[in-house]
Amino acid sequence: MKLPADLKYTASHEWVRVEPDGVITIGITDHAQEALGDIVFLELPTEGTEIAAGKALAVIESVKAASDIYAPISGEVLEINEQLADEPGAVNADPYAAWLLKMKPSSEAEFASLMDAEAYRQSIGG
Amino acid sequence: MTDLRKTPLYAMHCASNARIVDFGGWAMPLHYGSQLDEHHAVRATAGMFDVSHMCVVDIGGTVGSDDVRVFLRYALANNIDKLKIPGRALYSCMLNARGGVVDDLIVYYIREDLFRIVVNAATAEADIVWLNQLNAEGEFGVTLMPRRDLAMIAVQGPHASEKVLNLVPAVRAAAAALKPFGFALAPTTPYGEMLLARTGYTGEDGFELMLAAEAASAVWSKLIEAGTRPCGLGARDMLRLEAGMNLYGQDMDMDTSPLDAGLEWTVDLVTARDFVGKRALLHAGCQAVFAGLILCESGGVLRAQQTVLTAAGPGQITSGTFSPLLQRSIAFARLPLGVQVGDTVQVQIRNKPCAARVVKLPFVRHGKALVNGC
C-alpha cells in the first residue's frame, strides 16, 4: 500500500498536501480506495463552500456503498477536480494523483491534528 | 473469518488475492481486484463464480413410483409437470402457507425417482427443515439428501460454453446441444461425474457445473488456464441486477408474495393443482408493481431501502447498483399499483429527490442494453 511521506493524513482516511502557497489539496488514501472498491460516483461541494474541520465535505459512492469524505481542516473550498465526474475510477487507479478538491485553510492550528505517513500507517494497523 | 464456512475453492480464492467477505456465514470472494473488470469479462468473454456455498439437495423416491413428483407438485409454486423429460430444469419459488417466499430454487429432473434442487446458501438449512416437515406431514415418503460433497462453479459469458466444452471432450457434443435450462449428467469426465447445466444468473450463455468437491480446484485451474476470469459476488450482484434476476432476502422473502416480486410468471395459478401458499396468493392477489428503475441523472447510486415517490404513493427500492453496461444506476423497486412503465418517479438519495424512470425488466440480455436512458 502506498503512503507518500510528503503528505499528511487523517483518521478518516483523507490525505492532505500543503502547497507552497498555503492552499491544501485533499484526496483519499490508497487504503480507503481499496476498502471502498470500484468508485462510480463523486458528489463534490461547490466552490466557495465554507466548512469546519471534521464535517462531511463530499460523498464517494463505490459499487458497495456511499461514504462521506470529511474536511481535514476548516476553510473554504477553492477548486474541485471536475475531471472526476467523468472518470471516478481514476481515484482507484491512483488515489494520490486523483485529488478531490483544494481548500484555503482558516486555521493554521488545526494542522497539528494531521498525522504523518508513519502515524497513519500505524492507525490502520499496517 | 476463522469461524466462517469455506468452500472447496477457498484456497484458490486466497491464491488469487481475493477480497474475502462474510456472506451468510461463508467466507466468499467479493472480488479479485475490480468487480467492474470482472463484470466486463462476463459480458465480453467469460467469467466464473464459485457458487459452492449454495446447497445441492437430492430428492429421492421409490423406483417405479412418481412420489418425488407428487411431493414437488405440492411443495413448489411452479408446475413441476412442465418437466416432461429428464435433463430439463425449472426455476421455482417455494412458499409458506401465507404465500411468502421460503426460498427460490432450480429443480433438475434427473430420473422419475431422483430430482435435484439447488437452494440459496443462507436459507439452505431452514429449507431442508421445511421440506422435511412437508414430507412428514403429507406422508410423501421421499428422502432429502443434502450434497455437501459437491462443489458448484458457474461459468458465464459469450465464450463460456467453449471454455466448459473443452473440459469434457467425451460429452462435448451432448453438452453443446443443450438448450437453456437443459442439463446433462456426465458420469465419466476427467474430473469424475459432473452435472453440466445450461443455467446461470447473469443473463449470458454459460454453464453451471456440479462436481465432486475434491475435483473443484483442478477444474477451476483449467478454466483459468483457458482464460476464464475468476469473478466475485460483487460482479455477480451487478450482473444479476442488469439481467433482472431476483435475489432472495432482498427482492423477496418470507413476508413477500412472488406476485409482488415480479415472479408471477413462475407461479402456476392456472391448473387445479394445490400447492403450499396457493390459497393465500389467490386471496391476496397482486398488491404491488415490481419494476426496474433507471436513474435519469448522474446523482449517485440507487440502493436497497431508498424511498421512491410516485404519483400513486410511496414505494421502495429492493435492490440497486451501478450498471457498468448502461453507465447509470439501476434498481428493482416495489411500487404502488397504478405505476406504469415509462412513468418518471423520484428517488430519495441522501434526502435529495432524483428523477428515475420506471422500466420493464430486464435491463440487459446477452450483453445488449434493452433500455435507453431517460
Side-chain angles (χ1 to χ4, degrees), chain A residues 38 41 43 61-64, chain B residues 34-35 298 301 303 350:
Chain A
D38 298 281
F41 177 74
E43 189 175 295
E61 294 226 36
S62 69
V63 289
K64 196 166 69 178
Chain B
S34 164
Q35 55 202 73
S298 176
V301 180
R303 300 190 192 271
R350 293 184 284 281

Side-chain angles (χ1 to χ4, degrees), chain B residues 29-258:
Chain B
L30 181 66
H31 59 76
Y32 301 80
S34 164
Q35 55 202 73
L36 289 178
D37 291 350
E38 291 161 23
H39 166 281
H40 290 308
V42 172
R43 290 276 179 249
T45 55
M48 61 181 167
F49 306 85
D50 176 14
V51 285
S52 307
H53 58 314
M54 298 182 78
C55 190
V56 178
V57 183
D58 283 346
I59 306 177
T62 310
V63 177
S65 86
D66 64 351
D67 46 6
V68 183
R69 190 178 286 271
V70 171
F71 173 64
L72 293 174
R73 268 185 204 134
Y74 181 64
L76 302 183
N78 206 338
N79 187 359
I80 195 72
D81 291 328
K82 288 179 187 168
L83 296 178
K84 295 187 193 323
I85 50 167
R88 296 294 301 163
L90 181 76
Y91 173 78
S92 181
C93 288
M94 178 163 77
L95 308 182
N96 57 29
R98 295 178 286 115
V101 183
V102 174
D103 205 357
D104 65 332
L105 54 88
I106 294 180
V107 54
Y108 299 84
Y109 175 21
I110 297 175
R111 297 190 308 264
E112 201 53 34
D113 61 338
L114 183 64
F115 284 67
R116 170 171 288 182
I117 60 172
V118 177
V119 300
N120 283 299
T123 46
E125 277 157 32
D127 288 350
I128 292 164
V129 169
W130 171 251
L131 286 167
N132 275 322
Q133 184 188 325
L134 292 182
N135 184 31
E137 284 171 3
E139 298 179 1
F140 291 99
V142 300
T143 310
L144 273 81
M145 296 161 282
R147 296 293 306 273
R148 283 295 178 200
D149 57 318
L150 298 180
M152 273 184 77
I153 299 172
V155 191
Q156 300 275 289
H159 300 173
S161 297
E162 199 48 40
K163 312 276 185 206
V164 170
L165 298 177
N166 286 340
L167 285 172
V168 289
V171 293
R172 187 189 161 94
L178 291 172
K179 294 190 177 116
F181 273 74
F183 72 93
L185 248 185
T188 50
T189 77
Y191 311 97
E193 183 177 281
M194 197 186 280
L195 187 148
L196 301 102
R198 208 145 202 177
T199 49
Y201 195 47
T202 64
E204 297 295 329
D205 187 20
F207 282 90
E208 292 183 298
L209 310 176
M210 295 176 218
L211 69 165
E214 52 272 23
S217 294
V219 168
W220 190 263
S221 297
K222 275 279 174 202
L223 287 165
I224 288 179
E225 273 174 39
T228 315
R229 184 167 184 141
C231 302
L233 297 172
R236 190 169 166 82
D237 194 52
M238 291 192 291
L239 290 158
R240 69 97 189 166
L241 260 151
E242 285 185 342
M245 293 171 178
N246 286 29
L247 174 63
Y248 188 78
Q250 279 197 212
D251 306 310
M252 73 285 202
D253 55 30
M254 296 281 253
D255 299 316
T256 309
S257 147

